[in-house]
Structures are given as structure tokens and as C-alpha cells.
Amino acid sequence: AEAVEGRARLYRRITATDRAADALRAATRDRIAPMVGLTAASEPHALVGVVAERTGRPTQEIGALLYGTAPANDAALVKLADDLDSLSREVRRL
């Protein structure tokens, strides 16, 4: 969790929220895909569907977390980092 938030802060310092969000999302996808029996190269809809099914969360929510648009500001970037970390922990527990 601290590493994810640290990375978000680093990107925020250089005002690159779009790149920061992409990097955080890619790292999360790389971490959770094997946990649900997929590879990092799996189709987005496959990963979203399996994660949504395992967590009980709506597919729209999972899709927005893993593949959504860039956060509008620094606070939204930090929230995204926290939400992605929470999702990773949730998938790991299941």
C-alpha cells in the first residue's frame, strides 16, 4: 500500500496524473490477474468480469478502477491509488 501511494505522490509531483494512473492500473492488473487464473495479457473484459464476479462488485466499478479515465486532480489520483490497493487486497483474500 505504501509503495502504491508513494508512486502516486511521485507522479503527482511532476503533474503527470494520467501517466501515474496508467502505471498504477497496470501494476494492479499485473498483480491480480494471476490471482484469478488469468495472465496480464488477458482481454480487459475477461479480467473485469472475473474480478467483479469474485468480489461481488459491479463490472462498471471494476472496469473504471482498472481501465478508467485519468483522474482529474491530485486528490482523485490518491483516491485511485487507495481504491486499487483495496481491490488488490480484496482479491488476494478471496
Side-chain angles (χ1 to χ4, degrees), residues 1-14 20 23-24 77-78 81-82 85:
E2 290 177 19
V4 170
E5 288 181 14
R7 184 181 289 175
R9 284 188 205 99
L10 174 65
Y11 279 114
R12 183 181 68 206
R13 280 189 206 126
I14 60 171
L24 292 168
L77 178 62
V78 172
D82 289 341
D85 184 54

Side-chain angles (χ1 to χ4, degrees), residues 29-42:
R29 292 189 304 262
D30 289 348
R31 255 190 324 278
I32 66 173
M35 292 181 207
V36 297
L38 298 173
T39 66
S42 295

